[in-house]
Amino acid sequence: MDIGLRNINKAYGGQRVLTDFSADFAGGQISCIMAPSGWGKTTLIRLMMGLEHIDSGEMTGLEGLRKSVVFQEDRLCENLSATANIRLVCPEKSKPLVEGEMSSFGLGGDALGKPVRELSGGMRRRVALLRALLASYDILYMDEPFKGLDDDTKETVMAETHRLILGKTALLLTHDRREATALGASKILEIY
Amino acid sequence: MPERKKGKTGIRLWTVLFWLAVWQAGSMALGQAILLVSPVAVARRLAELAITAPFWSSIGFSLLRIASGFLIAVVAGVVLAAAGARFRRLRELISPAMLTIKAIPVASFVILVLVWVPSKNLSVVISLLIVLPVVYTNIIDGIDAADPKLLEMTRVFELPALRAVRYIYVSQVLPYFRAACSVGLGLCWKAGVAAEVIGIPKGSIGEKLYESKIFLNTADLFAWTATIVIISYSFEKIFMLLIDKLVGRIERM
């Protein structure tokens, strides 16, 4: 089902963040919003996820959708292992399957069992990304999902992410056009 | 957030030997065992006591009651804190009670409790009352400190409440729980034995300490004090080991 946003307005106190924003995102496709920092990208997906309320406007096609998200921060449970963090949101996925995917994302060996607080920033980012990708969802939000990854790792991770989100509804927020291209975004909304 | 300390804070053998030597020297200088008995005499007396049945039955008596009071306080503290964190009104209701319990001196509690409870169970109630506010306050602080960003994550992924509690809250509150147990274990022995000294339940460690005082038997007083320190220390170590195993299991899931 397609998602429609009509004249969305949001302000915090007197500070307007989104003014009459409208857009359509096709179901089963990857869409991308490219906008400068401070434009309100994160606010927009927070509104779409129902974490905050719009001041005015209309959102359609989001009702009852199961959501998954890669937040701008990792938001991992520090004491839990990488595997446990991922399986936290998808307990129905078998451990071998999760560990297989982790390996595709370069998270094999020692990284599997260690508490995530002992992992590097790049590894934690991949855990957060994989958690979102393996969850059962109808719409996936990705807020700068490849932030902090080195170039080589980023290439591999983007290719694996593309494999996992193919045919699904996803909204990517980024500053980097290469990311949108690598994920096969059918619509790129560029706001500069 | 409380962190587990590792390494350098442990007690070194040479420091123990140093202070024992100071104690021995002080005792020899004074030359009166009734004022300051020597560590050698205390060790000898402890060895004598350790082969008697009343020694072990007194330990069993006090250990059972103080440990029971501690465990009841831990369970009650966790349940009340969880309920208080969930229901604001309940928290408002509990808070002044906890503050009052914290502020009341042990001696006042002992006298009050003796009116209601037979002296043999005095140490159960006293250790419960001393540990309860410590556990309650720490757990509720831990719940309050749970990362709101993680809670938001659980909302987006629609994690069932029980799973969110188990993996987010439990994991985040465990360091606070550990700190509460560590403090509570020390306090419950101090308060429990103090209560027994006042209430003098028959067959307790407190009774033995009281008798030492009455008969001015300093060797017995020190031997029993050493016994309390050893049991309290061992109890704390064993309990904290179990907590750490629990933490380890959660981390490895």
Side-chain angles (χ1 to χ4, degrees):
Chain A
M1 191 180 173
D2 294 348
I3 294 155
L5 308 178
R6 295 281 164 271
N7 305 108
I8 303 296
N9 286 289
K10 179 70 183 174
Y12 295 101
Q15 179 83 32
R16 297 196 71 79
V17 180
L18 291 170
T19 307
D20 279 334
F21 177 76
S22 297
D24 291 297
F25 303 110
Q29 305 277 319
I30 320 297
S31 305
C32 172
I33 297 177
M34 291 178 65
S37 296
W39 175 82
K41 299 188 295 293
T42 302
T43 302
L44 179 69
I45 62 164
R46 288 181 63 79
L47 294 169
M48 293 175 75
M49 287 190 288
L51 293 175
E52 290 180 41
H53 298 291
I54 54 175
D55 294 338
S56 64
E58 189 189 10
M59 295 196 284
T60 56
L62 290 168
E63 305 80 21
L65 294 187
R66 290 170 305 162
K67 304 173 284 279
S68 184
V69 60
V70 186
F71 289 101
Q72 221 172 59
E73 321 83 22
D74 299 324
R75 302 200 186 190
L76 299 170
C77 300
E78 299 292 329
N79 297 332
L80 299 185
S81 67
T83 318
N85 264 285
I86 293 168
R87 294 193 71 216
L88 181 64
V89 301
C90 55
E92 74 285 355
K93 300 267 192 321
S94 72
K95 209 170 169 184
L97 184 143
V98 170
E99 289 179 353
E101 291 294 358
M102 287 175 76
S103 174
S104 310
F105 276 66
L107 291 167
D110 281 354
L112 296 171
K114 276 185 185 174
V116 289
R117 63 167 179 263
E118 293 176 20
L119 302 184
S120 68
M123 289 171 109
R124 292 164 57 89
R125 194 64 189 147
R126 280 174 277 166
V127 174
L129 177 59
L130 198 48
R131 175 181 64 186
L133 295 170
L134 293 182
S136 300
Y137 62 86
D138 299 310
I139 180 165
L140 169 66
Y141 300 96
M142 293 183 284
D143 194 352
E144 300 185 26
F146 309 112
K147 197 173 71 176
L149 299 181
D150 62 70
D151 286 345
D152 289 343
T153 311
K154 193 169 166 178
E155 290 301 324
T156 314
V157 170
M158 286 195 301
E160 293 297 329
T161 303
H162 181 232
R163 171 177 64 84
L164 289 170
I165 63 172
L166 210 58
K168 296 187 173 175
T169 308
L171 180 57
L172 169 70
L173 309 182
T174 183
H175 299 282
D176 187 347
R177 178 172 282 275
R178 284 181 310 152
E179 293 179 8
T181 311
L183 296 193
S186 61
K187 174 174 185 168
I188 301 176
L189 199 60
E190 205 167 344
I191 304 160
Y192 280 102
Chain B
M1 193 165 95
E3 288 283 335
R4 268 180 279 167
K5 286 185 180 173
K6 284 184 181 171
K8 310 290 179 193
T9 54
I11 293 169
R12 301 297 177 110
L13 180 65
W14 72 267
T15 59
V16 176
L17 294 174
F18 171 80
W19 288 112
L20 283 173
V22 170
W23 178 7
Q24 179 71 34
S27 166
M28 286 165 75
L30 271 171
Q32 291 190 56
I34 199 167
L35 290 177
L36 184 62
V37 67
S38 74
V40 175
V42 172
R44 198 181 302 127
R45 182 61 187 140
L46 192 55
E48 286 167 12
L49 286 170
I51 54 168
T52 63
F55 175 81
W56 293 103
S57 77
S58 292
I59 289 176
F61 181 99
S62 296
L63 176 64
L64 179 71
R65 283 161 178 78
I66 292 171
S68 301
F70 172 79
L71 292 174
I72 297 168
V74 168
V75 174
V78 169
V79 170
L80 286 175
R86 176 71 184 78
F87 304 105
R88 193 170 56 89
R89 292 282 179 215
L90 183 66
R91 182 176 182 160
E92 288 169 0
L93 197 67
I94 294 171
S95 290
M98 289 297 169
L99 278 175
T100 310
I101 295 172
K102 257 190 206 171
I104 292 176
V106 177
S108 307
F109 263 137
V110 172
I111 294 159
L112 277 169
V113 171
L114 273 174
V115 176
W116 296 92
V117 177
S119 67
K120 68 172 183 173
N121 291 327
L122 179 66
S123 49
V124 179
V125 182
I126 294 302
S127 59
L128 162 71
L129 287 170
I130 294 301
V131 177
L132 180 64
V134 176
V135 175
Y136 173 83
T137 311
N138 264 41
I139 298 288
I140 215 154
D141 283 351
I143 294 172
D144 285 348
D147 186 350
K149 288 183 172 174
L150 277 184
L151 300 178
E152 213 171 58
M153 181 273 291
T154 67
R155 273 179 64 197
V156 175
F157 286 105
E158 293 174 12
L159 254 61
L162 270 179
R163 206 183 314 155
V165 166
R166 181 173 172 194
Y167 294 99
I168 308 294
Y169 281 111
V170 170
S171 174
Q172 300 225 327
V173 170
L174 268 175
Y176 290 84
F177 177 68
R178 195 182 186 283
C181 289
S182 181
V183 174
L185 283 163
L187 286 176
C188 75
W189 277 94
K190 283 194 180 89
V193 172
E196 286 180 350
V197 171
I198 299 170
I200 325 169
K202 198 164 172 53
S204 66
I205 293 178
E207 184 198 28
K208 298 293 184 289
L209 281 175
Y210 182 77
E211 284 172 356
S212 310
K213 178 204 137 189
I214 293 295
F215 300 116
L216 296 174
N217 191 339
T218 321
D220 268 28
L221 175 68
F222 275 68
W224 277 108
T225 304
T227 306
I228 296 163
V229 171
I230 293 165
I231 301 166
S232 167
Y233 181 78
S234 311
F235 186 53
E236 182 176 342
K237 286 285 165 200
I238 293 166
F239 194 83
M240 297 315 284
L241 196 71
L242 293 174
I243 298 282
D244 287 343
K245 278 195 182 297
L246 175 73
V247 174
R249 276 188 69 171
I250 288 175
E251 287 179 350
R252 276 195 303 273
M253 274 180 314

